[in-house]
Amino acid sequence: MTLCLRRAWLACVLLLSPLAVAGTVLENPQWRIELDAATLAMRVTPAGREPVQASSGVAAHAVSQLRQSTQHANWQWDKGAYRLSATLEQRDLVLTITAREAGELEIIRQPASAMGKGLIWPLAEGHYIPAGNRLWQDFLLEYGDMNSTQDLSLPLWGVDHERFTLNWLLTNPYNNRLQWQAEGPRLGLSLRHEFTALDPSAPMTLRLNLGEADMLAGAKRYRQWLVEQGLYEPLADKLQRLPAGEKLLGASHVYLWGNDLLGLGDVRDWAQLRTLLRAPEGLGAQLNGLLDPEAAQVVQAPQPFLDRYQQAVLLRGLNAALNKKARQAWQARAEPDMHALVEGYAAVRQALAVAFASALSTAPETWGSTLSATTLKTLEDSGLQRLLLTLGEGWEGGLWHPEAVRAGVEAGYLMAPYDSYQTALADTENPDWITAHLGSRAYRDCSIMLKNGQLKTGFQKSGHYTDPRCVRPLLQARVTAVQARAGFNAWFLDAYATGMLFDSYRSVLGMTQAQNAEGNIDAARWIASQLQLPVGSEDGNATTARGVLFAHGMQTPVMGWGDREMTQDKQSPYYVGAWYPPEEPAVFFKRVPLKEPLRTVYFAPAMRLPLYQAVFHGAVITSHHWLFDSLKLSNVQGENELTQLLYNVPPLYHLSAATLQQRLPMIQRQDGFFRPLHERLATQAMTDFRWLSRDRLVQQTTFADGTRLVANFAQEQRDRYPGRSVTALVVGAEPVVYQVNQQRP
């Protein structure tokens, strides 16, 4: 009874107090903010506009030492457990909260009414979500809790009130958790921040920005804030330090598959090949012992001649055996021997050329399937002047075929390996994921330790996620050694720009999320500065984008990762395919439709916004994630193509020896329109985006030099813009029109 009376008495005191009635008022000529210091409830009124309840307030805290002026207030919560300040800086309300000790604190409860006409949401490139849209509401509720470094491409969101926007900018993007709540036909949103034991004094800082009636207002303000803080790196400045990066301007991005040592055309005598593999000793016997069961069965088959399928099985098995043979020199060690790693592949190739001379072609420098001089010559002869060619399986292909890498470099292309350091595998785990084999010492000593003392399991529940500072010596040693031997002139670091960040509670080498981000950024910068290699990574999320020149996964992100139909049900039309065969994995090459609601959520043109480009166009070149290249999704290919061209970002393709001729015309066609524009615009900011039709299917982007790109997503002509087209309007030049090709490869 006493407890109930105390609660009732406290409620009365809060209701009757001058603070609860009048609140703390901050105002200037632009707007007025009424702030409840106990709950952080906020009511904002732009000059000449209707008020908006930006936050309905969190659970009340005891307020003390409140001091305020017309544009500033500071106070304490709970006897000094938290110190808060609110400052009005023109069109920004700046909030700062510091904590006395570790703990989680709720800061914002944005009610559904605050959404106005729609939500401006940085999921991947960006989206506009009309208020009350049930499909989006269900999607966001099912998505669950989000963090502001990985789940959001930019640490911000906004709401559209027709004649103005309100935009929250999380200037401390780390350790934040956002959660949606259904409030009738609309959504409310809450924000919580964790003050960690690793750095409890680190303040939580955020800004509420009063923007113009511009859906990019929040993104533009965030870009301006990055510039003010010295955290923005224009691409032009990066290229001054790294001239080789200029080859990215106008380049289409391509992943090559089928980069093993041998191609089908390299076998002159299949009968002799089998004879050599049946040898009782020597290299043939060693390789035979490393064959998979199906390939071993083909070796022992009684028929004298092999059909095409058997040849493919045997060659696939032989290439895998050769990889295993080369890896024996460096895998399953406390620390990889980098000299043995880079020299082992050449040694195996030379030994094979001698021992199998009677079965294989006599020039090992010409061997290979997709990664070969033949492929590079075909691409060069096709008129493709700018390409970024990345080896999908890692850097082994470059060690097998340094001549092909050199041919690509001489053709003017960027040649890069896929490389990875964020997961460290145990010696016995997945030997084919070569880039994650960092040695048993890194697996033990560099892993992330959670608050509960457990080690953080790595990608797909394999190995451990790593501290980038701890694996940095391995990265430097391996990148240097592989680059020197293979001749790559660019590099791709998987996952380092995804914003996937961890706190690590190791007693000797603790790490905050902010330190994790800086470790990732510094690794990319080291490769660029020390080896003069353009560096890219996955996604390009804002907190980890500095240091990279390009990123894969912003234009089309990873989708449906846990969806059974897409990833497990092989009978489903939406099944994306297996990671097989290795020379042309179906997961990359099989064309499939995208299911609902993913199709609408990610690709409906009327609900897409170039938020990321408003911040980073002219700083980072982004493209699609490799799981969903430009040709993967059959029922949104046109929308995907038009949006990509409208935002002036490069296409991304997968190529194999078998698909090269089929896919080349599509690559050439888009290159003819995209390359000259991107060469001109890649270093420029996107300054404006607007809808030119009421249904939002005609859209325009504008860049710093005045170039306008207009996309008409409708089937029919609109205002002289042909259906399903992008029109380039360059100052002083005739308009150039690109229409989606209705014929699909």
Side-chain angles (χ1 to χ4, degrees):
M1 186 64 179
T2 303
L3 180 60
C4 292
L5 286 172
R6 288 179 63 190
R7 286 177 174 169
W9 175 80
L10 179 59
C12 290
V13 170
L14 288 171
L15 287 171
L16 294 174
S17 70
L19 180 62
V21 174
T24 299
V25 177
L26 307 176
E27 60 183 329
N28 62 23
Q30 284 82 33
W31 56 336
R32 170 189 173 94
I33 297 174
E34 299 166 77
L35 178 68
D36 181 355
T39 67
L40 279 182
M42 284 176 238
R43 181 180 171 91
V44 306
T45 308
R49 308 298 183 205
E50 293 297 314
V52 176
Q53 190 72 37
S55 176
S56 57
V58 300
H61 295 262
V63 175
S64 60
Q65 299 188 26
L66 173 66
R67 297 178 177 84
Q68 77 167 96
S69 63
T70 57
Q71 296 186 28
H72 178 76
N74 59 70
W75 65 98
Q76 294 185 10
W77 271 353
D78 306 335
K79 298 180 179 179
Y82 300 98
R83 297 176 181 271
L84 299 88
S85 71
T87 304
L88 206 55
E89 297 180 355
Q90 300 300 318
R91 302 177 73 90
D92 284 356
L93 172 67
V94 182
L95 295 173
T96 301
I97 306 173
T98 58
R100 190 167 55 202
E101 56 190 31
E104 189 175 67
L105 181 70
E106 187 176 21
I107 299 171
I108 295 171
R109 285 186 186 174
Q110 177 179 290
S113 61
M115 193 182 290
K117 291 189 64 180
L119 175 73
I120 300 162
W121 191 244
L123 177 65
E125 179 57 64
H127 298 272
Y128 180 84
I129 305 168
N133 185 291
R134 187 56 185 269
L135 183 145
W136 262 102
Q137 175 168 315
D138 292 344
F139 174 81
L140 290 172
L141 289 172
E142 185 177 348
Y143 197 104
D145 288 9
M146 300 179 176
N147 69 62
S148 55
T149 60
Q150 183 180 7
D151 296 319
L152 302 184
S153 58
L154 306 168
L156 59 86
W157 75 91
V159 288
D160 172 22
H161 285 271
E162 192 168 10
R163 292 194 285 182
F164 65 92
T165 58
L166 292 174
N167 306 282
W168 288 102
L169 314 181
L170 307 182
T171 48
N172 178 351
Y174 308 108
N175 301 102
N176 299 316
R177 184 161 59 91
L178 297 107
Q179 187 175 52
W180 292 101
Q181 302 91 29
E183 297 180 12
R186 298 192 178 191
L187 292 176
L189 178 64
S190 65
L191 170 71
R192 307 181 73 90
H193 177 78
E194 181 185 6
F195 297 90
T196 72
L198 294 163
D199 190 8
S201 63
M204 173 55 188
T205 60
L206 62 162
R207 290 174 178 247
L208 178 60
N209 166 260
L210 172 63
E212 303 291 346
D214 174 4
M215 299 306 102
L216 303 186
K220 291 176 181 177
R221 181 64 187 99
Y222 179 61
R223 183 183 188 277
Q224 180 187 1
W225 180 83
L226 290 174
V227 172
E228 292 167 353
Q229 301 301 311
L231 298 174
Y232 195 81
E233 298 179 351
L235 186 59
D237 291 353
K238 296 176 185 178
L239 297 181
Q240 280 189 333
R241 299 189 299 268
L242 185 58
E246 291 184 3
K247 294 179 181 179
L248 284 166
L249 310 187
S252 296
H253 295 201
V254 176
Y255 278 97
L256 299 178
W257 298 90
N259 307 315
D260 287 322
L261 180 55
L262 296 171
L264 283 169
D266 299 325
V267 180
R268 292 189 296 120
D269 189 330
W270 289 95
Q272 182 61 13
L273 178 65
R274 291 202 295 164
T275 298
L276 292 169
L277 288 170
R278 292 177 186 141
E281 56 185 6
L283 182 60
Q286 295 171 24
L287 293 173
N288 192 30
L290 297 172
L291 292 175
D292 62 86
E294 190 178 10
Q297 189 175 27
V298 171
V299 171
Q300 301 301 328
Q303 63 265 38
F305 300 103
L306 301 183
D307 59 31
R308 192 70 173 179
Y309 173 79
Q310 290 173 314
Q311 291 177 2
V313 167
L314 178 53
L315 187 70
R316 192 177 297 135
L318 178 56
N319 276 321
L322 289 162
N323 288 335
K324 292 175 186 176
K325 177 69 176 172
R327 294 168 192 164
Q328 289 173 349
W330 63 271
Q331 269 191 351
R333 303 286 194 277
E335 194 164 318
D337 180 335
M338 299 307 172
H339 177 77
L341 186 153
V342 298
E343 296 301 327
Y345 294 82
V348 171
R349 190 179 88 165
Q350 181 57 33
L352 185 72
V354 173
F356 282 62
S358 58
L360 303 176
S361 62
T362 56
E365 65 274 11
T366 67
W367 288 351
S369 179
T370 306
L371 182 59
S372 64
T374 300
T375 296
L376 273 302
K377 182 72 162 54
T378 299
L379 291 171
E380 188 177 12
D381 289 348
S382 71
L384 295 170
Q385 300 173 24
R386 296 279 176 98
L387 290 173
L388 168 66
L389 301 172
T390 305
L391 308 190
E393 296 109 323
W395 28 256
E396 277 184 322
L399 297 176
W400 286 132
H401 302 291
E403 298 87 357
V405 173
R406 186 165 58 248
V409 172
E410 291 173 354
Y413 302 148
L414 290 172
M415 304 291 296
Y418 158 92
D419 201 1
S420 175
Y421 298 89
Q422 198 170 57
T423 292
L425 297 177
D427 290 347
T428 56
E429 286 184 283
N430 193 357
D432 290 331
W433 187 5
I434 56 163
T435 59
H437 275 271
L438 307 178
S440 57
R441 186 175 293 116
Y443 173 77
R444 182 188 67 240
D445 297 341
C446 294
S447 51
I448 300 293
M449 181 173 288
L450 303 176
K451 254 190 298 193
N452 60 11
Q454 294 182 348
L455 300 180
K456 176 66 176 175
T457 303
F459 179 67
Q460 290 192 323
K461 300 182 179 180
S462 298
H464 300 141
Y465 281 121
T466 62
D467 180 334
R469 303 166 305 172
C470 183
V471 298
R472 176 74 169 274
L474 280 167
L475 178 149
Q476 293 180 187
R478 194 168 76 181
V479 172
T480 300
V482 171
Q483 192 277 333
R485 186 69 179 83
F488 294 113
N489 62 346
W491 216 266
F492 183 85
L493 286 176
D494 185 44
Y496 265 27
T498 61
M500 181 169 63
L501 305 172
F502 304 107
D503 293 312
S504 183
Y505 288 82
R506 283 184 176 270
S507 57
V508 176
L509 190 66
M511 179 180 70
T512 65
Q513 290 186 16
Q515 290 170 327
N516 193 165
E518 288 302 316
N520 291 1
I521 292 165
D522 288 346
R525 281 180 171 157
W526 183 88
I527 295 173
S529 62
Q530 295 300 310
L531 301 179
Q532 284 294 291
L533 302 176
V535 181
S537 186
E538 194 176 357
D539 292 359
N541 285 14
T543 51
T544 43
R546 288 180 294 128
V548 299
L549 274 70
F550 64 94
H552 295 161
M554 192 57 61
Q555 188 67 15
T556 304
V558 175
M559 301 173 289
W561 188 256
D563 186 275
R564 191 187 67 84
E565 283 190 289
M566 292 178 65
T567 60
Q568 299 176 42
D569 184 1
K570 296 182 180 181
Q571 304 307 313
S572 169
Y574 306 112
Y575 177 61
V576 295
W579 291 67
Y580 186 85
E583 69 274 10
E584 193 180 305
V587 69
F588 299 119
F589 288 88
K590 179 188 176 189
R591 286 174 49 77
V592 296
L594 184 63
K595 65 184 295 189
E596 293 291 359
L598 299 178
R599 174 177 176 170
T600 298
V601 164
Y602 286 100
F603 291 99
M607 292 189 285
R608 295 188 76 169
L609 287 175
L611 296 178
Y612 186 89
Q613 296 307 319
V615 179
F616 286 109
H617 200 285
V620 180
I621 297 170
T622 59
S623 186
H624 311 278
H625 195 274
W626 74 345
L627 287 175
F628 301 102
D629 80 333
S630 295
L631 304 179
K632 176 68 177 179
L633 300 171
S634 59
N635 60 344
V636 293
Q637 183 177 319
E639 291 83 353
N640 205 5
E641 193 174 338
L642 293 175
T643 307
Q644 167 216 308
L645 292 172
L646 175 68
Y647 295 176
N648 188 238
V649 297
L652 184 143
Y653 306 99
H654 292 291
L655 284 180
S656 65
T659 61
L660 177 60
Q661 293 300 331
Q662 178 194 33
R663 295 188 165 205
L664 198 52
M666 173 68 180
I667 299 173
Q668 291 171 300
R669 184 173 187 272
Q670 192 167 145
D671 175 80
F673 180 81
F674 168 76
R675 178 168 46 80
L677 279 170
H678 195 250
E679 288 176 338
R680 177 190 190 92
L681 301 177
T683 58
Q684 297 188 30
M686 180 186 286
T687 57
D688 186 57
F689 169 82
R690 60 188 61 190
W691 296 303
L692 302 183
S693 64
R694 179 169 293 184
D695 61 6
R696 303 199 293 266
L697 292 182
V698 183
Q699 304 176 10
Q700 176 181 279
T701 53
T702 305
F703 297 85
D705 73 345
T707 297
R708 291 180 294 128
L709 302 176
V710 179
N712 177 11
F713 291 91
Q715 294 286 346
E716 69 280 1
Q717 178 173 306
R718 298 276 190 89
D719 293 334
R720 302 183 305 278
Y721 299 114
R724 309 278 280 177
S725 71
V726 174
T727 301
L729 301 165
V730 178
V731 177
E734 290 295 316
V736 179
V737 178
Y738 178 95
Q739 277 190 284
V740 169
N741 190 347
Q742 299 302 321
Q743 294 182 346
R744 297 286 183 253

